[in-house]
Amino acid sequence: MLVALLALTPVAYLLFRGGISLPLLLRELSSPTTGILVTNTLLLALGVTLTCAGLGVALALLVVRTDLPARPLLTVLFALPLGIPSFVGSYTWVATFYELAPRSTFIYGLPGAVIILSLAMYPYIYLPVVAALRGLDPAQEEAARSLGTSAAVAFFRVTLPQLRTAIAGGGLIVALHMFAEFGALELLRFRTLTTAIVQRVTVLSAPEAARTLSLVLAVGSLALLVLDLKVRGRPSAARTGGGVARAPSLWRLGRSRWLWLGASGFLLTLALGVPLSAMGGGLVRLLLRPDAAFDWARLIGATQDTAQYALATALAASIAAIPVSLLAVRYPGRLAMLTERSTWIAHSLPGVIVSLALVYLSVRWLYPIYQTSSMLVIGYVILYLPIAVGAQQVGFGHASPQFDNVARSLGVRSLATFFRVTLPLALPGIAVGAVLVMLNVGKELTMTLLLHPTGTRTLATALWATTEGEVLDFAAAAPYAAALVAITAIPAFVMIRQTLRRPARR
Amino acid sequence: MFVPTTRRKAVTWLATATAAAALVFGAAKAQGTTAAPTTLTLYSGQHETLADALAAGFFEATGIRVDVRTGKDADLVNQIIEEGGRSPADLFLSEEPGPMNALASRGLLAPVDPETLAKVQPSLNPGTGDWVAVAARSRVIFYNPQLIDESALPKGILELTDPAWKGKFAYAPSGAFVSTVTYLINAIGEDQTLAWLKGIQANGLNLQKNGAVRDAVEAGQVAFGLSNHYYWYLLAQSRGGEENLASRVHYMGGGDAGALLLASGAAVLKSSRHQAEAQRFLAWLADAQGGQQIIANESPQYPLALGVSSPLGLKPIEELSPPAIDQNSLQDLDKAKELIIQAGII
């Protein structure tokens, strides 16, 4: 409950900070842009979420359930775009287009934004689906097959429904991310509620007008959260049989495997190749420049700060998330649902609004920690708590209460049961959550700008400072972008290796 | 049932996590203890490289350390307002006059030493003396000669509402754009300004940022764009010279709204506990031998101290013929915001 209250503080700020009144709200809503902004936001969120769901599930199936060559390598590679912040990715696309086809405006507007952001976001669905597919017992699907259904039908009717929690959890993250995305969309010249909110705050210095739009956004995310509940349905099917589940039989791709491999290569070229080559090109130009006076100490300092914040937040968010996810999975009910859902709302608000709320609150009541790293970590936790909760729910979903009951019946006390039975079973989910939080913290920009301790910088703010999205020469930004990608790729890589190992139990 | 490796993994995980926590708390504590008595905190809306160079230069001259916090003008203004009397900032350095005036009108700025004000061109200081003008940017047009002749460019920005210009130009609702709108409200009135904004919205390409306007013109996506001279010279610098660019700068002159000269200001916050040192920073910043040299050499803005000029090939400031205004008159940001939102631009 405390955790939920903390997560709701930005919303309270929206409602109670002076300057919002009904007439203002009505005037804002009737302004000519509001309708366009709402439509744009919905189209973008829908387009990106559906594209990511399609890509994520298809890729997960390819690496888990087919005999595609080089699957272990591809499993890792497919997850790596996660480490490329969307604003960096878009930046590299814009830079690449300026270099190769300067007059083309293909990447701007809705289609460009959907394609480029989907390429950056699909791992949020791909990863949980891979984890869920690995955890599934093939027995159910085989039972369906033995009753005469075809492989495809068995997949759609038996397996896919079991992936619902994973897909819905990932999809919700993607959709809410789209609600809150700013940097990438500004670069891709697409206007949404969030870009308007950020511009109202950062250019017009009109936080009142921004807060009204934020309310519209908050209502939108509430609707999405309800929708997600309906799609997700009940958590289902923990395996309880004795013995160890077999690995599922693989679908044979036959000759088409080369086609699939080619398609995978093409996708990776777009999702990884373009950003990495733009960064590599920038690095080379920087090193070849005669006046190469790059401040390496600054880069190292920023890397250390980023790593520290990311680790601390991953830890704090994981601990804060455990009661929420446990409550939601084990004791589903109105209270649990409200608690769990409430953590999501702040996630969909633009970082600027959440940060302003925290500035306002901490200056008044928590002044000693204002602009310290603790404050920043608290801010990160509020933003990324739901990501940890989403992943943990999958984990706890697989830790059937029946195991607890068995342990309890053997005389283990309840706390011990939690640490010795539930937690280890849910650990893969908790770890996924922690890593996702870490990645997001590494990439976060807007909140860091407002809350970081003066004099320190993270890779994202240092990157922003070299470019401000206004210098198309990628050279100065390249080292920060490369370090950012490197630092976020490491946890992703470790985590995937972990999932790759066949679990000894089950 | 449970193979020991699982539990061992859990233990490893918890151990790692605890270590991480210790690391961070250690770091937080270390940061808490480093505050020395003579360290000034500067909130800066200028690009970080310039702000850092100024901090280093001041330290060299006086031995007083300056911690820089960079952001957008309006972001920092919001932050200072939310921080109220407890703002950790001693100094504010802006890109635009409007944000300075916003803080001044809320009574958050301490008056600047008259001696400091006297060091720079008086025409760009605000009449109130709440802040000092330390650099200036000129509104200009960037154009691509492959797409349009310089002689075919509009004579003034007011004529851009003519449908003949539809799709020909780009603009960005930046801080300087807001300043332009504030100026227009004073010059032609609210109704005319709103009509102009609606025309711009209908005819122009809204590219959100000045850098994007410049790049689109340079790439040939659009014939010309409204922006600040500053951005084009930045690009020229990074490409190794003006001759390497396809686009060119057109100074409108003639006292047109499109030739507005906007001051970047510096000020001491009233809440600062280091008033003397902070005023000293302003004095140094406005000095021809001090900060003005760094501004002239590190960024393509106009330095304002008498006797200092930019070595970066800008059109001399005496030849610009901008509209004659008091920078302090660019104050009614609220009206400007309202009109910009009403016109559907943001």
Side-chain angles (χ1 to χ4, degrees), chain A residues 199 202 367 370 452 465 470, chain B residues 48 69 74 83 86 208 214:
Chain A
Q199 284 185 329
T202 59
Y367 194 68
Y370 177 57
H452 71 92
E470 288 180 345
Chain B
E48 190 170 8
R69 189 177 186 85
E83 287 166 352
R86 305 181 87 174
Q208 322 286 0
R214 172 200 63 202

Side-chain angles (χ1 to χ4, degrees), chain A residues 59-66 68-81 122-123 126-127 129-131 134 264 268 272 492-493 495-502:
Chain A
L59 294 178
L61 286 174
L62 266 183
V63 296
V64 180
R65 301 295 292 272
T66 70
L68 190 73
R71 286 188 300 142
L73 179 67
L74 285 176
T75 309
V76 178
L77 287 180
F78 283 149
L80 285 186
Y122 77 82
Y126 164 78
L127 272 179
V129 173
V130 168
R134 285 184 183 287
S264 306
L268 286 172
L272 286 177
F493 189 77
M495 184 190 69
I496 303 280
R497 285 297 296 270
Q498 200 72 18
T499 2
L500 265 184
R501 252 181 248 147
R502 292 254 160 248

Side-chain angles (χ1 to χ4, degrees), chain B residues 133-280:
Chain B
V134 293
R137 302 154 179 235
S138 172
R139 291 294 286 169
V140 295
I141 283 181
F142 301 146
Y143 69 102
N144 190 321
Q146 291 161 15
L147 300 175
I148 191 168
D149 260 359
E150 185 166 16
S151 59
L153 290 171
K155 302 288 170 274
I157 58 168
L158 290 185
E159 62 179 84
L160 287 174
T161 50
D162 188 325
W165 294 110
K166 194 170 173 66
K168 297 257 170 41
F169 69 96
Y171 68 101
S174 62
F177 185 84
V178 180
S179 295
T180 306
V181 175
T182 322
Y183 166 74
L184 285 178
I185 293 173
N186 293 339
I188 61 175
E190 202 180 312
D191 294 346
Q192 299 269 9
T193 305
L194 180 60
W196 181 76
L197 284 170
K198 284 183 173 161
I200 292 289
Q201 204 272 335
N203 287 346
L205 203 56
N206 180 353
L207 295 187
Q208 322 286 0
K209 301 187 99 165
N210 280 311
V213 170
R214 172 200 63 202
D215 295 330
V217 174
E218 172 69 20
Q221 291 167 14
V222 61
F224 66 97
L226 309 180
S227 191
N228 288 357
H229 83 278
Y230 175 77
Y231 292 91
W232 189 82
Y233 290 95
L234 271 185
L235 186 67
Q237 256 183 330
S238 83
R239 294 273 173 88
E242 297 176 16
E243 63 280 4
N244 298 331
L245 297 189
S247 58
R248 288 287 171 264
V249 178
H250 172 70
Y251 292 89
M252 300 205 84
D256 189 78
L260 212 54
L261 191 61
L262 297 165
S264 298
V268 174
L269 275 100
K270 204 176 255 174
S271 57
S272 162
R273 278 166 298 170
H274 310 290
Q275 293 290 334
E277 292 92 340
Q279 289 290 351
R280 200 166 157 202

Side-chain angles (χ1 to χ4, degrees), chain A residues 393-411:
Chain A
Q393 279 182 305
V394 178
F396 283 116
H398 288 298
S400 163
Q402 297 189 32
F403 289 129
D404 291 15
N405 296 341
V406 172
R408 297 292 300 281
S409 73
L410 293 173

Side-chain angles (χ1 to χ4, degrees), chain A residues 176-198:
Chain A
L176 292 181
H177 239 99
M178 287 306 104
F179 277 12
E181 176 62 55
F182 168 67
L185 294 174
E186 188 170 70
L187 283 163
L188 298 174
R189 301 181 195 168
F190 189 67
R191 298 168 71 195
T192 63
L193 282 168
T194 291
T195 64
I197 289 167
V198 176

Side-chain angles (χ1 to χ4, degrees), chain A residues 13 17 102 186 189 199 201-205 315 363 367 370-371 450 452 454 457 465 468 470 498, chain B residues 9 17 24 43 48 52 69 74-75 78-79 82-83 86 146 173 208-209 214 221 231 337 344 346:
Chain A
Y13 169 79
R17 174 82 169 91
E186 188 170 70
R189 301 181 195 168
Q199 284 185 329
V201 175
T202 59
V203 180
L204 292 188
S205 195
L315 175 68
V363 164
Y367 194 68
Y370 177 57
Q371 283 187 12
L450 276 170
H452 71 92
T454 302
R457 51 179 64 80
E468 299 197 10
E470 288 180 345
Q498 200 72 18
Chain B
K9 253 185 274 168
V24 168
Y43 281 16
E48 190 170 8
D52 284 349
R69 189 177 186 85
D75 255 346
N78 291 338
Q79 191 163 358
E82 295 290 39
E83 287 166 352
R86 305 181 87 174
Q146 291 161 15
Q208 322 286 0
K209 301 187 99 165
R214 172 200 63 202
Q221 291 167 14
Y231 292 91
K337 290 170 202 175
I346 290 186

